[in-house]
Amino acid sequence: MFKHMVWLFTANNKGGINIMVKKALPLFLIFTTVVCFSQDNNPGYNDLYKYNLSIGAEYQNLTPFTDYNTDFTMYYDISAVTRIPLPFLPVLYPLVQAGLIQFITPERDNMERWQHTQWYGLLGIGYSNRFSKSFELGAEIAGGIGKAVFPRLDPEQVRGSTNLIASSGIRIALDPSYNMSIAIHPSVKYLYSLSPLKRFNVFI
């Protein structure tokens, strides 16, 4: 606004200076008042409620997108997640996730040998925008490595399979207080075995 006024001041002749200043000054005062009022009534929630560190726990029931050729009775994922927002851009945050995926089979038809636990660790990044004091919406993407442990596959010893894991999903969070957040986190993971055992290369 000041640059625009200076340009007008230098461009006009001496006779038009007083008229220009008299017209521009009230408009400038009105504009300044409106901007200040808008900022006071629409605070930047992402900056106002930013945090340095978040540690949480997640539980998810899983559903495979393809047939495992195994009649699993239960799939679930339990993990711990640490999120560290960037100080200069709090809507973005690196994340670290570690957990286990449990695959439970029925005790029949020799299917119990495929029962296993997938231990994994992921590194990723997330985006979360706080639309109000108590509501956030965002997305996350991560990748890492896992180890599937099959305690019953071989009667002589425990067998394992190393896997690559990719994960992505959305995050909807309700924040009843500054120190607590309750989130719904629908997501999808893809497991890819680095061993000859390709039976469990699947989206879940």
Side-chain angles (χ1 to χ4, degrees):
M1 185 67 186
F2 280 116
K3 290 181 180 179
H4 190 54
M5 285 180 63
V6 171
W7 183 84
L8 288 173
F9 180 84
T10 55
N12 281 273
N13 57 25
K14 186 177 294 185
I17 290 175
N18 291 333
I19 296 175
M20 184 275 298
V21 172
K22 287 180 181 179
K23 288 184 177 180
L25 185 58
L27 291 174
F28 173 73
L29 294 176
I30 293 172
F31 173 78
T32 304
T33 304
V34 170
V35 169
C36 293
F37 179 79
S38 299
Q39 290 179 344
D40 290 340
N41 285 272
N42 295 281
Y45 292 108
N46 294 311
D47 289 321
L48 188 62
Y49 294 101
K50 66 182 179 181
Y51 54 89
N52 297 320
L53 176 70
S54 169
I55 299 175
E58 291 188 0
Y59 173 85
Q60 291 182 322
N61 282 319
L62 303 176
T63 302
F65 286 82
T66 59
D67 185 11
Y68 265 156
N69 297 316
T70 306
D71 186 19
F72 288 105
T73 57
M74 184 180 297
Y75 313 79
Y76 61 85
D77 183 344
I78 299 175
S79 65
V81 188
T82 299
R83 298 175 174 91
I84 307 174
L86 301 178
F88 55 89
L89 191 62
V91 294
L92 291 180
Y93 53 86
L95 65 90
V96 179
Q97 184 175 10
L100 65 90
I101 303 172
Q102 187 71 58
F103 299 86
I104 300 176
T105 59
E107 300 287 337
R108 59 178 172 81
D109 301 330
N110 202 30
M111 284 191 293
E112 67 273 8
R113 69 192 184 114
W114 296 114
Q115 182 167 309
H116 65 282
T117 302
Q118 177 85 235
W119 300 90
Y120 68 88
L122 304 175
L123 295 175
I125 192 166
Y127 169 85
S128 183
N129 188 23
R130 191 184 287 262
F131 292 95
S132 68
K133 179 180 178 180
S134 57
F135 179 73
E136 296 177 66
L137 179 63
E140 295 179 346
I141 186 169
I145 196 164
K147 184 72 172 182
V149 178
F150 296 82
R152 303 179 181 181
L153 185 60
D154 188 338
E156 297 183 358
Q157 60 180 326
V158 174
R159 296 290 183 176
S161 174
T162 303
N163 301 281
L164 297 179
I165 302 176
S167 174
S168 65
I170 63 173
R171 187 168 179 268
I172 305 168
L174 296 176
D175 308 316
S177 71
Y178 182 78
N179 295 318
M180 184 173 66
S181 180
I182 302 171
I184 300 173
H185 187 201
S187 63
V188 60
K189 288 184 175 71
Y190 181 72
L191 311 179
Y192 179 80
S193 175
L194 298 178
S195 73
L197 180 62
K198 305 297 184 182
R199 184 187 186 101
F200 302 107
N201 290 356
V202 68
F203 284 98
I204 55 175

